[in-house]
Amino acid sequence: MNIKSIFIAVAVASLLMIPMPPGSAWAGSEGGLPPAGGISGPELWGTVVVDCGAQRATLRVKGVADCNVETAAFSMVWLLCPATEKSPLYFVLTGVNLTSMGITGTPVITKVKNFKVEGSLVSFDVQIRSTP
């Protein structure tokens, strides 16, 4: 096990200790089509780490507002392990509240980059926008 794997495992374990807000379940499956109502609003970038063995995921988002960096972290259920970079596209992030960062509708993943699989852990960067 290399240092990067140990770091990711510790990060996942520490984020799983954050209480999960009620209703934040992310039923993972293959990515779908863009929402019928379209996508709007500002874009945020975050990092997702999925522990496929535990069917859990953590999302960490950073945004800049008035020269201040705001961060948020969420722990959620992830039922199916993402197989490719396209798997998480257009997932609706149910129970994730990013209104303080300018996302006023329901957050949805619109881009995926840096997709990496390391054993039962899958990590990737995501662009998040909202449905109107």
Side-chain angles (χ1 to χ4, degrees):
M1 188 177 252
N2 63 26
I3 297 295
K4 185 176 180 184
S5 296
I6 292 170
F7 176 76
I8 290 175
V10 169
V12 168
S14 65
L15 286 175
L16 289 177
M17 291 180 193
I18 297 171
M20 185 171 68
S24 76
W26 189 358
S29 63
E30 286 295 313
L33 298 173
I39 296 173
S40 65
E43 65 181 51
L44 294 175
W45 280 91
T47 300
V48 176
V49 178
V50 180
D51 182 345
C52 296
Q55 295 183 325
R56 302 285 303 165
T58 56
L59 166 66
R60 181 166 161 78
V61 181
K62 283 187 177 181
V64 178
D66 298 327
C67 296
N68 295 317
V69 177
E70 295 185 37
T71 61
F74 302 91
S75 177
M76 59 196 82
V77 174
W78 188 295
L79 298 179
L80 298 177
C81 194
T84 68
E85 194 170 283
K86 292 183 180 183
S87 297
L89 280 178
Y90 302 112
F91 271 155
V92 174
L93 302 172
T94 305
V96 174
N97 183 346
L98 297 171
T99 54
S100 66
M101 295 183 188
I103 302 291
T104 55
T106 304
V108 62
I109 294 175
T110 55
K111 288 185 185 177
V112 176
K113 293 184 176 185
N114 304 320
F115 187 87
K116 294 178 185 156
V117 178
E118 294 183 24
S120 67
L121 296 177
V122 179
S123 64
F124 45 93
D125 297 326
V126 294
Q127 179 189 69
I128 301 170
R129 295 190 69 197
S130 68
T131 59

